[in-house]
Amino acid sequence: MRARALTTLATASLLALTACSSNDSPDNTTASNSPASATVSSSTPAPKELDAQQVVTALTKAITSTKAATVYTAATDPNQLLGRPNGYTSKADFTDSRAKPKLDDEVQNGGSVEIYSDPADAQDRAKYIADTLDKMKIFGTEYHYLNGGILLRVSGALTPDQAAEYEAALKQLS
């Protein structure tokens, strides 16, 4: 009886290991088993594989009131997300002379660009920021625009029409 139970357990374990060993997935995405990045990555890359500084440069060419401000490194990133698991791969800020914010904040002075290798991470970040700002209105408001792995955060101090210029410029990067 004991031998039969051990044989059954061994067979079930072997079947479970075989079922878990496949690397194929229906959408050609891969998952890492490391604890640092246990999420499935999307196969949709950021448009033209741009970094945040290049996106800001494109915005300054499209919107004359925009000026490049800060390009962050892992050491200077105020959010401590640059290069970290599920964080962005690059981040840069810009100013917009039309923004007259109540708070002196990099996004409220114009905006910020965050680049993610996985578009789902960009969507998650946009939702997190929106939820936080909804609960803590003292921090102001933002417009969020997504294009692949690019999250464009635009100052809520701008009018909807002014912010729409950023949305249009971001769409041109596709």
Side-chain angles (χ1 to χ4, degrees):
M1 186 73 147
R2 183 178 169 113
R4 177 181 277 170
L6 287 174
T7 302
T8 303
L9 181 60
T11 302
S13 296
L14 182 59
L15 288 173
L17 288 173
T18 303
C20 293
S21 68
S22 174
N23 285 334
D24 295 332
S25 63
D27 61 355
N28 293 326
T29 59
T30 58
S32 169
N33 291 329
S34 71
S37 60
T39 60
V40 177
S41 349
S42 170
S43 59
T44 307
K48 300 180 186 176
E49 300 295 327
L50 300 173
D51 66 21
Q53 185 175 14
Q54 292 168 319
V55 172
V56 168
T57 299
L59 294 174
T60 62
K61 289 178 182 175
I63 303 167
T64 58
S65 58
T66 303
K67 289 191 172 40
T70 306
V71 176
Y72 293 96
T73 66
T76 62
D77 176 28
N79 301 313
Q80 298 181 350
L81 294 173
L82 183 58
R84 290 173 171 86
N86 302 320
Y88 34 80
T89 57
S90 66
K91 176 180 172 68
D93 294 334
F94 57 90
T95 61
D96 187 315
S97 60
R98 301 171 297 177
K100 306 293 184 217
K102 294 178 183 171
L103 297 172
D104 188 21
D105 171 82
E106 64 269 356
V107 175
Q108 292 303 309
N109 284 321
S112 185
V113 174
E114 300 172 357
I115 306 293
Y116 295 82
S117 57
D118 185 340
D121 289 338
Q123 291 174 344
D124 289 347
R125 172 81 167 144
K127 182 177 179 344
Y128 169 78
I129 295 166
D131 289 348
T132 300
L133 291 176
D134 190 45
K135 292 174 186 158
M136 304 181 90
K137 297 190 185 326
I138 191 168
F139 293 121
T141 60
E142 296 180 8
Y143 301 92
H144 296 149
Y145 303 110
L146 295 162
N147 187 349
I150 300 172
L151 169 58
L152 174 58
R153 300 170 59 189
V154 177
S155 174
L158 295 174
T159 68
D161 288 341
Q162 292 168 334
E165 294 174 29
Y166 286 96
E167 181 180 25
L170 183 63
K171 286 180 181 178
Q172 295 296 315
L173 298 177
S174 297

